[in-house]
Amino acid sequence: MEREGSPRSPPREGSSPPGEGPASDLGQALSQILHRLTGPESRRGRARNAALQDLGALLEATECDRLFAGSDTPLGGAPGTLGEVTAALEKHAAPRKEEEGGGDGCSAVAEKAAAVGLLFTKLLRRVESAKESPGCLAGKRGLRHLAGPIYVFAITHSLQQPWTRPGSRDVAREVLTLLLRVTECGSVAGFLRGEHEGEKGRFPEIMGLLQPDLNKESWKNNPATKHVFSWTLQQVTRPWLNQHLERILPPSLLISDDYQIENKVLGVHCLHHIVLNVPAADLLQYNRAQVLYHALFNHLYTPEHHLIQAVLLCLLDLFPVLEKGLHWKGGAARPTTHCDEVLQLILTHMEPEHRILLRRTYARNLPAFVKRLGILTVRHLKRLERVILGYLEVYDGPEEEARLKILETLKLLMQYTWPRVSCRLVVLLKALLKLICDVARDSSLTPEPVKGALLEEATDCLLLLDRCSQGQVKGLLAKIPQSCEDSKVVECVRKVQLVSEGAPYSGT
């Protein structure tokens, strides 16, 4: 009887040593290793380690032409069984749900990954040798059973994750490099979509392997699956991605709909990639774009700045798709758009918001919404005015990102809605002058370049305000140089007066 843990024990009692018997013996040896990796005894560490050792010995002892012989048969022969063993090894090295957060369990996963990675390296080198031999067709055919699971393994363990360690990452990256070389692909993107015209690529195969772990009941059992899916998805771009839309959209929506912020952000990044790389016609078909919009819009109620940032960027790229069929024919008022709806909600959240990271996130994206709506921003003018005035009053830390973006928003707003600006002259002028005085007298840790940028942006706003009010700002500022003792404030006012009189100003 075979002794458990023997590194080179024969696969079955009475059978020939690995690599020396007939082809059927090779299949039997691989089948027994597969059983030991997937059967009840696979839970015992010694039995599992013995199976890995036996597989390593089998790969070393078997000639290349015999290892991949029979790959053209309906069941794939020994290479088909070897593919099943490869898939079992990938599952063996994958992290489990309880090992997502780190700790001793993750160290064990990294050790298993390093051991499996060495076996995959050995196997790929055998494929490489088979391809270099005169009858290399067997090696190429055998590779089709191996490439998918090996790719999933390599991506699972090469990314920076809690279950990886420097050693396991190095082994996984070596496996990926060798896989690309054996498959004659110059990059991961070429491996997935096909390097040459008419070549199918392996993206459908990889999605097929990930699909069982990407449904509602199972997608959290393996914490690596979502990362492998996301990373793989983002390697495939136009014009290859749209043909796989039915496979990639449901998992992306599923991940984005989770209660964990990390998963929400990951799912939104996947959706954003889809929006950028799938033609608008395909997104509009079957109401997909509306489904995307409602999924993203609901995330705007979650007060988490990373998520809000990802959602707003995705929505800004989705708006052209949603509004593709909208054409204003004149006569009646223009219909409100999805961009109007989102901006209204953003402004509602911005007014009372006191958390600095969320304030910066909202302010960072506000100029893009004003640009998107253009003159139609006038619909939101009152609320925008309240937000701008409120945000200009609050110090935003050394970077002053929020106030700089709000000044950029104000400039765009005056450019697009200038006929409505003159009636707000006094309110806006007071806010800008107060900001200039506060920055000029600021003795905090704000760097001088940041203060200079704030003063320059505020001066630009004063110039635009002067033009929108037919020169009234110049008259209202006339007495400030005689009464103000702050040189920075006086310098800003004089710039406005000089430019109003026709002198050039490089800041505008």
Side-chain angles (χ1 to χ4, degrees):
M1 182 179 292
E2 180 185 346
R3 185 165 56 90
E4 182 179 285
S6 175
R8 294 179 181 270
S9 56
R12 285 196 178 187
E13 187 176 354
S15 66
S16 301
E20 294 181 7
S24 59
D25 286 350
L26 175 62
Q28 290 175 358
L30 290 171
S31 297
Q32 185 177 6
I33 291 173
L34 177 63
H35 176 72
R36 291 158 66 189
L37 287 171
T38 57
E41 64 185 55
S42 66
R43 297 181 181 180
R44 299 200 301 269
R46 291 178 60 194
R48 193 170 52 234
N49 293 337
L52 297 182
Q53 291 174 353
D54 285 352
L55 179 59
L58 189 68
L59 293 176
E60 289 179 359
T62 307
E63 297 177 0
C64 295
D65 55 347
R66 291 188 57 244
L67 192 61
F68 302 106
S71 57
D72 52 350
T73 61
L75 297 178
T81 308
L82 186 59
E84 294 180 46
V85 172
T86 304
L89 288 173
E90 184 274 317
K91 296 293 184 187
H92 164 65
R96 299 181 185 86
K97 182 178 181 180
E98 60 270 16
E99 294 163 338
E100 186 173 10
D104 295 337
C106 289
S107 297
V109 172
E111 290 176 7
K112 288 191 291 185
V116 171
L118 292 175
L119 281 175
F120 283 162
T121 301
K122 190 178 296 185
L123 178 57
L124 288 171
R125 294 196 189 282
R126 303 296 281 169
V127 174
E128 195 171 31
S129 300
K131 290 183 66 177
E132 291 172 356
S133 64
C136 65
L137 285 177
K140 287 183 178 179
R141 290 169 181 163
L143 186 59
R144 74 172 186 260
H145 301 288
L146 313 175
I150 292 178
Y151 169 86
V152 173
F153 165 85
I155 303 304
T156 298
H157 299 283
S158 62
L159 302 177
Q160 183 84 30
Q161 296 294 345
W163 56 84
T164 65
R165 297 293 182 266
S168 64
R169 287 195 292 270
D170 290 342
V171 172
R173 288 165 186 161
E174 183 183 353
V175 169
L176 183 60
T177 301
L178 191 55
L179 176 64
L180 295 179
R181 189 168 76 221
V182 169
T183 55
E184 300 176 0
C185 296
S187 64
V188 173
F191 173 84
L192 293 169
R193 70 179 186 232
E195 286 274 298
H196 310 290
E197 187 176 354
E199 190 177 347
K200 187 177 180 182
R202 291 178 170 85
F203 187 70
E205 177 189 351
I206 303 302
M207 288 296 105
L209 290 173
L210 297 176
Q211 209 73 42
D213 290 331
L214 283 174
N215 59 61
K216 189 174 181 179
E217 289 74 27
S218 64
W219 75 277
K220 286 194 173 183
N221 293 337
N222 180 352
T225 302
K226 60 189 178 187
H227 297 288
V228 176
F229 169 75
S230 173
W231 195 89
T232 301
L233 170 65
Q234 295 185 51
Q235 307 309 306
V236 183
T237 56
R238 287 176 183 259
W240 297 277
L241 193 61
N242 63 303
Q243 58 188 306
H244 308 292
L245 190 55
E246 291 297 331
R247 279 192 165 188
I248 60 177
L249 186 55
S252 301
L253 288 168
L254 176 66
I255 296 171
S256 73
D257 194 37
D258 191 49
Y259 68 93
Q260 291 180 306
I261 296 298
E262 173 197 349
N263 292 332
K264 288 179 184 287
V265 174
L266 187 69
V268 170
H269 285 318
C270 293
L271 294 175
H272 195 181
H273 183 78
I274 292 171
V275 169
L276 290 173
N277 290 281
V278 172
D282 291 308
L283 290 177
L284 291 170
Q285 194 175 22
Y286 306 122
N287 223 24
R288 293 185 184 114
Q290 287 290 342
V291 172
L292 283 170
Y293 172 73
H294 288 298
L296 293 166
F297 187 83
N298 289 336
H299 289 317
L300 293 175
Y301 291 96
T302 305
E304 167 52 50
H305 67 281
H306 290 305
L307 179 60
I308 296 294
Q309 177 66 25
V311 168
L312 292 180
L313 290 177
C314 187
L315 283 170
L316 285 166
D317 286 317
L318 183 62
F319 290 147
V321 177
L322 291 166
E323 297 163 14
K324 194 173 181 65
L326 298 179
H327 299 287
W328 184 51
K329 299 179 180 179
R334 294 191 186 187
T336 56
T337 64
H338 297 88
C339 188
D340 284 298
E341 186 179 17
V342 173
L343 179 57
Q344 183 176 358
L345 182 62
I346 289 174
L347 295 174
T348 300
H349 290 168
M350 286 183 77
E351 279 193 73
E353 187 56 63
H354 63 278
R355 287 162 287 196
I356 199 70
L357 292 177
L358 272 172
R359 288 170 66 90
R360 288 176 184 168
T361 302
Y362 288 131
R364 188 184 304 131
N365 293 279
L366 202 53
F369 279 86
V370 175
K371 286 181 184 177
R372 176 72 194 164
L373 287 173
I375 194 172
L376 295 180
T377 314
V378 74
R379 293 169 171 168
H380 311 276
L381 198 52
K382 288 184 178 180
R383 183 166 285 178
L384 270 167
E385 179 188 337
R386 293 199 300 269
V387 167
I388 288 170
L389 295 177
Y391 275 58
L392 288 180
E393 289 182 356
V394 179
Y395 173 69
D396 184 41
E399 299 85 7
E400 291 281 19
E401 182 183 358
R403 288 210 281 195
L404 283 169
K405 286 298 181 181
I406 287 296
L407 286 171
E408 181 185 345
T409 303
L410 179 57
K411 286 167 62 176
L412 290 168
L413 191 63
M414 288 192 286
Q415 290 170 8
Y416 287 121
T417 65
W418 61 267
R420 300 287 187 90
V421 172
S422 58
C423 61
R424 294 170 168 79
L425 169 62
V426 175
V427 174
L428 293 176
L429 182 58
K430 284 182 178 179
L432 290 169
L433 287 175
K434 184 178 185 303
L435 173 65
I436 291 172
C437 291
D438 289 344
V439 173
R441 298 166 184 170
D442 183 14
S443 59
S444 67
L445 298 177
T446 305
E448 288 301 321
V450 175
K451 292 181 183 179
L454 277 171
L455 293 173
E456 185 177 327
E457 289 291 308
T459 304
D460 287 349
C461 288
L462 287 174
L463 287 167
L464 279 171
L465 189 58
D466 184 64
R467 291 172 185 171
C468 291
S469 61
Q470 293 79 43
Q472 293 183 54
V473 171
K474 178 187 172 185
L476 293 170
L477 298 179
K479 296 182 180 180
I480 289 182
Q482 290 102 23
S483 59
C484 182
E485 298 179 356
D486 195 303
S487 59
K488 291 183 178 179
V489 176
V490 172
E491 183 183 356
C492 292
V493 172
R494 281 180 176 164
K495 284 178 181 177
V496 175
Q497 291 176 324
L498 286 173
V499 176
S500 299
E501 292 169 359
Y505 170 50
S506 59
T508 57

